[in-house]
Amino acid sequence: METIYFDTLQFVYHLALAILVGGAVVLGAAAAPAIFASVPSRGEAGAIFGAVLGRYDGLAILCVVLIVITSVLKAIAFEVVGVPETRLILRWLAVRAQTLGWDDLRDDAPTRREFQSLHRSSRRAMTVAILAGIVAMFLS
């Protein structure tokens, strides 16, 4: 049932997916390493990259919303069955928090250790998200 409606949904879905995956790849593989290598202070580099992520987050959230909306519309209009699990819906709605006064924390501070652990998990999660997005693009 190829229609202009389906084609438009597919286009918006793929565009949002490409921006989401491409943006994550650029941030992780190009922007972060370049910023942290060229700015002498890790705190300052973190602030700069945090501002970059802040701008990207808005675009990423918009892309996720578009992916969800187009997926739901395709499911309704083209009889694809299945409802996303509650945990996935909660992930889509989650918001990232930030810690104030980061530069004032000691290296052995529990908050800094927790951040390092979360950062490793975040890098792994972004890698999985990129791979999942590439698979989604391949399969659609």
Side-chain angles (χ1 to χ4, degrees):
M1 179 181 240
E2 296 291 317
T3 65
I4 190 71
Y5 176 68
F6 180 81
D7 291 342
T8 302
L9 289 178
Q10 280 292 90
F11 172 75
V12 172
Y13 173 84
H14 286 114
L15 179 62
L17 193 58
I19 291 170
L20 192 62
V21 172
V25 169
V26 168
L27 287 174
I35 291 170
F36 280 91
S38 62
V39 176
S41 161
R42 285 192 64 79
E44 190 178 335
I48 292 168
F49 191 65
V52 171
L53 280 178
R55 294 189 76 136
Y56 173 73
D57 282 350
L59 182 60
I61 290 169
L62 173 64
C63 288
V64 168
V65 168
L66 289 173
I67 290 167
V68 170
I69 290 171
T70 55
S71 297
V72 168
L73 291 174
K74 286 191 299 184
I76 292 170
F78 300 98
E79 301 179 27
V80 177
V81 295
V83 176
E85 296 178 29
T86 304
R87 65 184 176 86
L88 293 177
I89 294 171
L90 292 175
R91 281 187 204 166
W92 292 335
L93 300 176
V95 179
R96 182 174 53 91
Q98 63 180 332
T99 302
L100 299 176
W102 179 258
D103 290 332
D104 298 331
L105 293 175
R106 295 185 344 216
D107 288 339
D108 63 345
T111 306
R112 193 176 285 270
R113 284 193 314 246
E114 181 182 7
F115 170 80
Q116 291 167 344
S117 173
L118 291 172
H119 186 261
R120 282 189 300 273
S121 297
S122 175
R123 288 183 64 181
R124 281 188 229 118
M126 185 164 290
T127 300
V128 169
I130 290 168
L131 293 174
I134 290 169
V135 168
M137 285 189 280
F138 176 77
L139 295 176
S140 57

